[in-house]
Structures are given as structure tokens and as C-alpha cells.
Amino acid sequence: MRSPWTAMWALCACFFMIMLDSTIVTVAIPTMLTDLDANLNEVVWVNSVYLLANTVPLLITGRLGDRFGPKTVLVAGLVAFTAASTWSGLAQTAGELIAARTLQGLGAALMTPQTLSFITRLFPPEKRGLPISIWGSVAGVATLAGPVLGGLLVENVGWQWIFLVNIPIGVVSLVIAVAALPNWQPRRALRFDPVGTALCALGLLALVFGVQNGQHYHWGPVFGSLTIVHVLIVGVLLLAVFVYRQVTVRAREPLVPNELFRDSTFTYANLAHAAMGFAMTGMFLPLVLYVQTVLGLSALASSLLALPMAVTAAIASTVSGTLWHRLGARTLIIAGFATLAAAVGVLVYQAAPDTDPATLVPGLAVAGLGIGFVFSPLTTAATAGMPPDLAGAASGVYNTARQVGGVLGSAATGLVLQLGVAFAVPDAARAYAERLPVRYREEFVQRVTEAANTPSQFDTTSPPVPSGLDPNVAGLVRRIVTEVFHNGFTVAAKASLMLPIAVLILGIVAATGIRVRTRDRVS
């Protein structure tokens, strides 16, 4: 067989595209609104539908690799992803782009479990450390580099290129994958449980949809009398039935084999992976909004703040591949979680309405170190005892944990941020109202409070001011309103960043359960 490293580069290219496209769209939203003549909801769905289509089928697509061979499933996903990227770049309407992104997400879901599954098959346990370190660094760097590359492409060549850039990468990856990846086939035919598969897909769809879009629908009606709460309840019930069926039905092959969780390290690694997905997604939302809304950075400038984090994450991930088998996976993972939590804590301490953005760079760089020290040893620990016949299923579970954690992190942090703005901005308004004549204070507080409860309508370039003011007084009020919003939003952002810190502490607790036997340690 050819050198496994030839195949490894194709796997890395595939995984890089998948992770890149989960974050690259964010900075292009304002441009898309104009060019596609779309409303905000439509453009938000351009990103949401990709995450849905990428997350929901992961358990199923992981098992497909065990059934039809990982090469067959990966190549199918790569063709779909590359074709969908082309369609996305050529889309003329928001609806067309949403459809293309759905196909792109499904292609990503087909590929993602196979990349890790292949690594566990290409490299024996004693030589798996470096390739998994590279795989982990690709995940971290691509996620962090997405906004940076997106900002550069949007500003210089147009938003379409955030999708079209995938075409040459996809074509080259496809050629290498077809030529270099071994075509392993399962030693026995798997018999899928169609009812269990449907329960899993529908349950995850309802749960992820409800969590991801709860704020958009104000946690109220989605269609008629059907509310987000109903959707979430249905999702939880379907998944509960799915789990019961997995345990009790023996006639067909389960999507999540019970054998996987007999290894407690695999269980704890998945919990830690979900915590990392939650924290990474949860910390970016308030930070990006803070540096853009309060500190006044452009989308491109704010995305460049992620560069130090991406660089240190890549370095730490590579270094951890040579360190973890000496120090132990558990030690390095706990150190990484603690470092990231401390870095976020420093960022919370530094955040103020007049903070110099440059002072945030050291904290962000340290956060990258924490991320890098977690990904590689955590993945290695999770795959150390993985049976080859269950590689696809285990990879599907492991990647689903990260994706679901990310969705929960985005939704939960966004909700805390929204509630924080609704409370902190009116509090600041009451304090600043003392600067105004008595007759204007009540109306000032009332109008600012109304705007704070509708954050999408709170525009500091045209702030809410009491009517009938003298022009000179009106100018003063506008400046005060801007200060009120900046102070209130900063308080809300700091509060919402405490949530990822709390989840990182839970990640440390989960990591204490990770045990890797000496013979499983890899170099």
C-alpha cells in the first residue's frame, strides 16, 4: 500500500473545507443581504441550514462507512460538497443559496466521520499520535480561520468566493482520495434498523432546530400553534425512544453500538468534546459582537483578532502530539481546558467600553494554546480502544458530540447575551438619565428600554431620543444613548462569557474520567 501520509493529506483537505464552511459565512452576512436582496432571516438560514444538515445525519453517515466502506462514503460526500460549493457560489437568490447549502451540509456529514475513521485504520495505535495531532490542528485552525479568510474574500473578490474557493481544493482532494485511499470493505454485512434510523434523524433534527432557532422565533410559535418548546419536547421524546430501541432491539445493527460505551474513556471523551464545542462556539458570539458593536472594529478587523488564536492553536495541537504520551492524555486535556477557561476569564476582566483591541490579543493567543492542547490528546484518547469494525460509528458519535455542543453553546450564550442586554442597558440608562433635565428622564429611560428589548432595532447611528428636544440637547442625548448601549452591552457580553467558562469547568470534570492504558499510548 502507498504511504498512508498521501491519503492523510486528502483527509485533511476534506476536513479543512468542512470546518472552514461552518464559520466562513458569518462575516459575509451584510454583503449577502444587499446582493441577494434578502432579509436577515433568509441570510441567517444560509449558515443555520448548513449546520443542521451537517450535524443531524452524523450518527447515520458514520455507520454508512462501516456498512459500505469509508472510501465509498467519503468520495460520495466530497462530490456532493464540491458540487454544492459551485452551486452556492453561482446562486442568484437566497432560496437557491439555502438549498445549495443544505446539499453542502449533507456532503460534509458524509465526509466528517470517514476522515477520523480512516486515520484509525491507516495508522496503528503506536503511530497514531502525529496524524491525530494534525487532524486536531486542522479542526482548530479551520474553525478560527473561517472568519479571517471570509473577510478577506468578501472585501477583495466578493462573497461568492467563500464558496468557490472550495472547488480547486475539492477537485484535488477527490483525485488524491480516489487514487490513494484504500477501499476497505466491511468483513460482514450490517443490517440497519430503519425505524431506529428515522427516530434518530427526526429527534436530532427537532432538537438542533429548536435550540438553534429558539431566539429567532422568540421561543414562541413556529407554525400555527406549534412552538419552539413543542419542537424541543418532541425532539427529546424521539431521542429517548431511539435510545430505548438501541438497547432493546437486537435483530438489526444499532446506529450507536453499546460496545462503544463499555469503554468509559470513550464516554468521558465525548462529554469533554461536547464541552469544547460549546465553549468555542459560545465564546465567539459575544466577543465578535463586542469588538464590532462596542469597540467599533470592522468585520475584517475583528476577524483578524482570531489570527493569533489560530496560530497558537496550530502550534499547541502539533506539540501536544509529542507531549501527551509522556505527560498523559488526561493531564494535557485538563491543562488545556484550564488554560482556555483562564484566558476567557482574562478577556472578561479586560472588556470595557474603551478597551484597546490590541490588549485582547495576548488573551486570545493563550486561548488558542488551550484549544490546541485539548483537541489532539482528546481525539487520541477517544480512538485508542476503538475496534476497527466500529470506527465509523465511533467517529460519528464523537463528531456529533462536538457539533451538538456547538449548537447548544451558540444558542445558550446568545440567549444569555440577549437577556443581559435587556437588563443591563436599561440599568445603564437609569444611571445616565441623571445627566438630563428631569422632564426628559422618564421618556429617555422608556425609549432606551424599548430599544434594548428589540436588539435588532437598536442602532447607535440613529439612537432613540425623546421627541421635541432642542438640537443641541438632542446631540448630547445621542452621545449619552451610545454610551448607555456600549456600557450595557459590555456588561451583557461579560456575563454571557461566564457561561463558556462554567462549561469548560464541566469539561475538566469529564476529563478526569479519561483513562488510557500504557499500551494504548501512541507517539
Side-chain angles (χ1 to χ4, degrees), residues 207-493:
L207 184 64
V208 174
F209 174 88
V211 172
Q212 187 173 310
N213 295 281
Q215 291 180 70
H216 171 70
Y217 291 103
H218 305 291
W219 302 96
V222 177
F223 181 78
S225 60
L226 181 69
T227 68
I228 284 289
V229 174
H230 294 146
V231 172
L232 290 172
I233 292 173
V234 168
V236 170
L237 290 175
L238 288 174
L239 289 176
V241 176
F242 165 71
V243 171
Y244 175 77
R245 186 176 178 86
Q246 291 288 288
V247 174
T248 58
V249 175
R250 304 292 183 183
R252 295 180 182 274
E253 201 75 24
L255 284 179
V256 183
N258 298 332
E259 302 94 292
L260 292 177
F261 294 99
R262 290 175 186 162
D263 178 2
S264 62
T265 289
F266 182 77
T267 302
Y268 287 117
N270 276 277
L271 293 174
H273 204 206
M276 178 56 78
F278 185 108
M280 283 187 63
T281 307
M283 67 181 281
F284 279 120
L285 177 65
L287 277 176
V288 169
L289 291 176
Y290 161 71
V291 298
Q292 290 187 17
T293 305
V294 178
L295 303 187
L297 296 188
S298 67
L300 177 58
S302 64
S303 67
L304 290 175
L305 283 178
L307 269 180
M309 191 187 300
V311 172
T312 54
I315 294 172
S317 185
T318 302
V319 170
S320 67
T322 61
L323 286 179
W324 87 269
H325 66 288
R326 299 175 188 171
L327 302 177
R330 180 175 56 183
T331 300
L332 205 53
I333 293 166
I334 290 174
F337 273 117
T339 300
L340 180 56
V344 176
V346 170
L347 293 172
V348 170
Y349 175 77
Q350 290 179 307
D354 57 352
T355 296
D356 180 354
T359 63
L360 301 175
V361 171
L364 292 168
V366 173
L369 289 176
I371 292 169
F373 281 129
V374 169
F375 265 118
S376 298
L378 183 62
T379 304
T380 309
T383 59
M386 185 186 299
D389 288 347
L390 299 177
S395 181
V397 171
Y398 186 69
N399 283 285
T400 299
R402 183 196 67 247
Q403 290 288 90
V404 172
V407 171
L408 291 173
S410 177
T413 309
L415 178 60
V416 172
L417 182 64
Q418 188 176 21
L419 292 173
V421 169
F423 283 99
V425 171
D427 282 346
R430 283 187 284 272
Y432 276 82
E434 298 298 322
R435 300 185 186 182
L436 298 175
V438 175
R439 65 181 181 276
Y440 296 126
R441 293 177 185 175
E442 184 177 347
E443 184 182 354
F444 172 81
V445 173
Q446 180 182 349
R447 296 193 64 179
V448 169
T449 300
E450 290 174 354
N453 286 320
T454 315
S456 61
Q457 297 178 9
F458 200 115
D459 181 4
T460 56
T461 62
S462 180
V465 299
S467 57
L469 289 179
D470 176 270
N472 293 328
V473 178
L476 172 63
V477 172
R478 288 190 178 90
R479 288 194 296 274
I480 291 176
V481 171
T482 300
E483 290 183 40
V484 165
F485 179 71
H486 286 177
N487 277 277
F489 192 90
T490 300
V491 171

